[in-house]
Amino acid sequence: MKIIKTKTIQAKLSSEIKEKEYQILHSRKELHSDHIPSFFVYINNLAWNAFIGHGNNIYKETGNESQGIFIGEYFKDEIGEFVIVKSYCEGFGDANRAYVEMSEESLSSIANKCKEEDALMLIWIHTHPNMGVFYSSVDNNCLRANFYMPFQIGLVVDIIRKQVAGFKCSAGEIKRFQ
């Protein structure tokens, strides 16, 4: 068996943003009062609230971690590259208070939704209820193996302590960011 590359994913120009609600990002300089990093993430409030609701429900029902994937589009402008998260897809699989794993069926369902919506899997997000925000060795390996593209990141959220941290894979190394 030979695996071949069939598609290269390139950032679209910010001028290609079609939805009216996101066209404000055509001129991102006006949104930021200070330095804008060369890579930035914009998350739709409805998508963020869907994740928080999912995380809170799972924690209330089971006490376990929860997870999912944010999907959307990848763009670039004169400042750098950025992603726009448009929706949240719940992930299901084995989980306990300190571990979460996404099932193949769940991942396949999310991949199908991305295909239908011409969207990309941008962010793997999961909770660490009342444990703080850090990446375990399992989290690092997941990001390295599955979310290593330049437009992808990982987020971990402590839904009890109200903390969030981001992680990005760069040249095989996992780097934390705010």
Side-chain angles (χ1 to χ4, degrees):
M1 177 170 86
K2 184 177 180 182
I3 298 175
I4 60 170
K5 190 176 191 177
T6 60
K7 181 179 178 184
T8 301
I9 297 170
Q10 300 281 336
K12 299 174 189 175
L13 296 176
S14 63
S15 59
E16 296 178 56
I17 297 172
K18 296 174 184 146
E19 294 94 336
K20 191 171 186 164
E21 66 188 294
Y22 301 117
Q23 287 180 355
I24 191 169
L25 299 174
H26 285 177
S27 53
R28 296 188 306 140
K29 287 181 186 177
E30 296 171 16
L31 294 175
H32 301 271
S33 59
D34 54 354
H35 171 73
I36 306 172
S38 60
F39 181 79
F40 206 84
V41 176
Y42 299 94
I43 300 176
N44 176 297
N45 281 334
L46 293 174
W48 182 257
N49 290 338
F51 162 73
I52 295 297
H54 177 230
N56 285 333
N57 287 341
I58 295 293
Y59 182 70
K60 187 167 42 171
E61 292 172 13
T62 66
N64 293 343
E65 289 189 5
S66 58
Q67 68 174 330
I69 296 177
F70 283 125
I71 66 173
E73 293 185 79
Y74 173 41
F75 294 97
K76 67 180 176 182
D77 60 13
E78 70 278 356
I79 299 166
E81 297 179 343
F82 62 98
V83 296
I84 301 173
V85 169
K86 297 182 177 180
S87 62
Y88 172 69
C89 301
E90 295 178 352
F92 295 99
D94 292 336
N96 62 35
R97 294 180 187 274
Y99 175 81
V100 68
E101 180 180 289
M102 193 172 300
S103 71
E104 290 176 6
E105 294 82 11
S106 188
L107 193 55
S108 175
S109 173
I110 295 168
N112 287 335
K113 181 174 181 171
C114 286
K115 187 174 182 177
E116 290 168 9
E117 297 181 12
D118 193 26
L120 298 170
M121 290 187 202
L122 301 173
I123 303 170
W124 171 55
I125 186 166
H126 70 287
T127 61
H128 281 180
N130 212 26
M131 293 189 297
V133 290
F134 62 92
Y135 249 28
S136 68
S137 60
V138 172
D139 295 338
N140 285 332
N141 290 337
C142 180
L143 203 64
R144 271 191 203 98
N146 302 298
F147 283 82
Y148 56 87
M149 300 295 286
F151 56 87
Q152 294 176 314
I153 65 166
L155 291 175
V156 65
V157 179
D158 186 326
I159 56 175
I160 305 302
R161 299 178 188 178
K162 311 282 190 242
Q163 299 171 331
V164 180
F167 297 85
K168 187 163 179 53
C169 185
S170 178
E173 294 295 316
I174 305 300
K175 307 215 188 259
R176 182 180 171 146
F177 67 91
Q178 291 300 319

